[in-house]
Amino acid sequence: MPATPRTGVDGGDEAETLPGQARALLLHVSEEVEPLHVYARAALLAALIVYGVKLAAMDIPAWEMASSLIHSPMVPIHEFGHLLFRPFGEFMTNLGGALFQAGLPLVFGGIFLVRNRDPFAAAAMLWWSAVAVMDTAPYVYDAQQPQHILLTGRTGETGAHDFIDVLGDLGLLTRARSVGYAVHAFGVVMLLASLVWAATIVRMQFRRRHG
């Protein structure tokens, strides 16, 4: 005689599948939904869509994102990443700036998702990470034929340039422009995923509120 499935306090089977658990985590909506929260998040989502599309459309070779409002706060995060990854060797030190720039918001997103059960906030953090990836793409592109003035006050031809070293070690320096475009495309995919995720949560909250 087969054993009876054990049921948790929420009525779900203890043997719930991993995809089901992931879905419950990623699409969690509280039973009580404050109307102010729904409308505020809808307004924030609209802003993220408009600004995200604007950033995604910026020119990569010209590094237009360097003049954007969101670029400046990411610079100290990028530089701290170099220090954080220094114990792991020269390659990781050079790559660490970009990794930390894109990875820090994912850490915050994980906290919002797992600890706070707030997938909308996690989606916003994914949006931030996507923008950080797109911001890195022109830096990668520039490594093939350095033209942009960096924090050192010089171009990569006469000063330090993370991705000249990183792509050189990987044997990809002559393809830096293609890699830069690929990095940008990956950032755009992340951006779209974050917006779809956030929109899904807002829609679910709205339906919960008015259903």
Side-chain angles (χ1 to χ4, degrees):
M1 179 176 181
T4 302
R6 296 174 60 186
T7 303
V9 294
D10 59 353
D13 293 342
E14 186 176 313
E16 183 181 6
T17 63
L18 184 61
Q21 292 175 344
R23 178 181 174 83
L25 185 64
L26 295 174
L27 300 178
H28 172 76
V29 174
S30 301
E31 293 292 334
E32 298 285 336
V33 178
E34 294 291 335
L36 180 61
H37 289 175
V38 178
Y39 294 116
R41 289 180 172 189
L44 177 57
L45 174 60
L48 294 179
I49 292 173
V50 172
Y51 193 43
V53 170
K54 178 181 178 180
L55 293 172
M58 287 184 173
D59 187 70
I60 296 174
W63 203 344
E64 285 187 316
M65 281 192 67
S67 61
S68 67
L69 182 64
I70 201 170
H71 172 78
S72 295
M74 291 193 290
V75 172
I77 297 174
H78 179 102
E79 294 305 314
F80 181 76
H82 291 310
L83 297 176
L84 185 65
F85 282 85
R86 181 170 292 177
F88 302 102
E90 183 178 359
F91 178 83
M92 290 304 299
T93 298
N94 291 324
L95 186 59
L99 287 179
F100 192 65
Q101 177 178 328
L104 180 62
L106 295 180
V107 173
F108 291 149
I111 294 172
F112 282 126
L113 189 62
V114 176
R115 184 170 182 176
N116 296 7
R117 299 300 296 273
D118 189 346
F120 181 87
M125 294 300 99
L126 179 60
W127 181 94
W128 175 11
S129 179
V131 171
V133 171
M134 291 191 300
D135 182 67
T136 301
Y139 196 10
V140 177
Y141 179 97
D142 185 64
Q144 189 165 331
Q145 189 175 347
Q147 297 179 352
H148 295 292
I149 304 298
L150 306 178
L151 291 180
T152 59
R154 297 178 291 179
T155 68
E157 289 184 339
T158 57
H161 192 299
D162 298 345
F163 286 99
I164 288 180
D165 296 328
V166 169
L167 296 179
D169 289 343
L170 295 175
L172 295 173
L173 186 56
T174 58
R175 301 174 62 186
R177 291 181 175 178
S178 297
V179 176
Y181 278 119
V183 170
H184 181 265
F186 183 69
V188 171
V189 171
M190 291 177 63
L191 183 75
L192 293 174
S194 71
L195 295 175
V196 170
W197 186 12
T200 300
I201 297 300
V202 170
R203 179 173 177 270
M204 291 175 66
Q205 290 180 329
F206 185 85
R207 293 180 64 181
R208 176 66 58 85
R209 178 65 189 173
H210 296 278

